[in-house]
Amino acid sequence: MKSVNTPPANRPLPAVELRVPTEEDAMNWHRVFDDPEVMEFHGGLPAELSVYEELTARQRRHHAERGFCLFTLLDPADGAVIGFTGAQPWPWDWGPAGEIEIGWRLGRAYWGKGYATAAAQAALDAVRTAGVRHVVAMVDARNERSIAVTRRLGMRQAETVITPRGKRTAYCHRLDV
């Protein structure tokens, strides 16, 4: 079992910067997520560049239509792309269909430093501003790091779901924002 590396309770969360994904962010996301450890709970293998091209384009549309999206997460110290966080409509017809899901994914070098929690809190502010009052987070049951983030956000585990593809156990966490 992997240990969950979390910032100490008395350590402040790091500063984060979010932006609506640019066309160039498809390449940035592809580069940052080109790591089997990062992709362990997302199919196991790094995705093709075309997946990120479509994903960043969809996020720009979500932001234009809804006021929130999966934002590109930047390291404010040097402007480097370190991942994404934000919210989007749940894209499948299983699980929390029709609901808004909050999510995050960071490059391996940024794990355990509080970035996911800080960025997710900023993303929650964006969905609140857009008028969303309830979000979910679907997390693979083995992903201790993301489960820890849901707890720090104040989410509660509500349902257990078996994914249609891969037949994995996932937990649906809920939060009224």
Side-chain angles (χ1 to χ4, degrees):
M1 186 179 282
K2 294 180 182 177
S3 65
V4 178
N5 187 10
T6 59
N10 60 350
R11 187 174 89 191
L13 292 174
V16 294
E17 184 179 332
L18 305 179
R19 75 169 178 222
V20 175
T22 64
E23 287 183 27
E24 294 78 27
D25 283 333
M27 180 61 80
N28 292 324
W29 291 5
H30 182 259
R31 177 184 44 77
V32 171
F33 303 143
D34 188 20
D35 180 332
E37 258 191 292
V38 171
M39 299 304 293
E40 178 180 3
F41 305 112
H42 306 284
L45 298 173
E48 297 294 322
L49 176 60
S50 62
V51 170
Y52 295 110
E53 290 169 338
E54 190 280 327
L55 182 58
T56 55
R58 186 171 68 236
Q59 298 313 311
R60 288 189 296 277
R61 284 191 307 274
H62 285 322
H63 190 266
E65 295 167 2
R66 299 172 181 270
F68 60 86
C69 63
L70 292 177
F71 295 97
T72 295
L73 175 56
L74 304 169
D75 183 339
D78 62 10
V81 172
I82 64 175
F84 65 60
T85 191
Q88 65 177 345
W90 179 253
W92 294 283
D93 60 1
W94 57 271
E99 297 192 60
I100 301 299
E101 183 199 28
I102 186 168
W104 45 87
R105 188 181 310 165
L106 278 71
R108 178 67 186 96
Y110 299 93
W111 292 3
K113 298 178 181 177
Y115 285 108
T117 301
Q121 287 175 341
L124 286 173
D125 290 342
V127 297
R128 275 187 206 101
T129 299
V132 174
R133 297 293 170 243
H134 179 83
V135 295
V136 299
M138 286 292 289
V139 180
D140 186 296
R142 300 166 301 140
N143 190 341
E144 296 175 29
R145 286 181 171 85
S146 283
I147 291 169
V149 172
T150 65
R151 287 187 191 119
R152 287 191 293 274
L153 294 173
M155 300 185 91
R156 63 179 170 72
Q157 183 179 322
E159 295 107 37
T160 299
V161 176
I162 304 300
T163 64
R165 204 170 106 209
K167 303 297 182 198
R168 297 214 170 159
T169 301
Y171 300 134
C172 181
H173 300 263
R174 297 183 174 279
L175 179 67
D176 294 327
V177 295

